[in-house]
Amino acid sequence: MTQKISSFHFCTSALPIEHKKVAWRDVMHPFYQTSDQVEDAIFEAKVSGYFFKNFLCINAEADPQNYYSGTERALKSGYDGVIVKLILEGHCDFSGDASSIRNGAGGITILDMSREVIGITPKIDTINLVIPRHVLSKHIVNIESLHLQTLNQASVMTRLLVNHMTMLRKEAKSITQNEILDVSKLTIELVISALQNHIKTANLAPP
């Protein structure tokens, strides 16, 4: 039998009410510090993650919540990378480093895990590519300038990346170990092309 891609899955639905939020905070702790906006009795969330060669694909759905991360948290967690966040449903108000944006369904926002970010969301459904910094920095010189940037949805490169991430979510559980390298290479190439295009068209300078 062909071995499938390594993955993890978590859902609050089977947990006692008093354990749901605590368990969710523990699961998300490597990436964010979370706090909720709804009562314990109605809070639900689920996440699945797939381990590709040089990135982690995380699908996350959650009831309204706030989350925070910053330089100190990044150092403690040991993660140093970039999150490419595609919102499928809902929206998120992002703020940090003296700037703020709102991104909604169909939009991609870039988050630098070493920088401050505060997110406030209603019920939301997202796809997240967590990519180590060194994977991207070999091809993107001023990667730090991308923090809290929203990719132009009118761009062909952005639309290609949106379509790819959506399909990746759909097909991830069926990907075999033999296919991981090719899918990983294609995904990273699309991300790099979309980010390079954004830097060029937005005339971004290093922070």
Side-chain angles (χ1 to χ4, degrees), residues 145-162:
S145 66
L146 289 166
H147 183 54
L148 291 180
Q149 289 288 308
T150 295
L151 303 189
N152 181 6
Q153 294 187 46
S155 164
V156 171
M157 292 309 307
T158 300
R159 295 201 301 271
L160 285 172
L161 182 55
V162 168

Side-chain angles (χ1 to χ4, degrees), residues 34-138:
T34 64
S35 60
D36 56 87
Q37 304 173 28
V38 298
E39 298 175 2
D40 290 5
I42 61 175
F43 179 80
E44 296 292 355
K46 63 180 179 179
V47 63
S48 58
Y50 297 88
F51 295 91
F52 289 84
K53 181 181 185 301
N54 43 15
F55 69 92
L56 174 63
C57 179
I58 298 177
N59 307 313
E61 301 176 50
D63 282 332
Q65 63 176 323
N66 305 331
Y67 61 84
Y68 168 80
S69 188
T71 303
E72 185 176 346
R73 279 187 56 78
L75 291 173
K76 288 181 178 179
S77 72
Y79 286 82
D80 181 28
V82 170
I83 298 176
V84 179
K85 179 181 289 292
L86 168 61
I87 298 176
L88 297 178
E89 177 187 341
H91 67 267
C92 185
D93 292 315
F94 298 98
S95 61
D97 289 359
S99 63
S100 61
I101 58 169
R102 168 175 284 196
N103 201 5
I108 291 178
T109 300
I110 310 302
L111 305 176
D112 187 326
M113 296 179 70
S114 71
R115 308 270 289 282
E116 180 186 44
V117 62
I118 299 169
I120 302 174
T121 74
K123 185 176 178 65
I124 196 169
D125 185 5
T126 64
I127 305 173
N128 306 266
L129 304 182
V130 183
I131 308 173
R133 186 179 306 276
H134 70 86
V135 173
L136 298 178
S137 60
K138 294 184 292 186

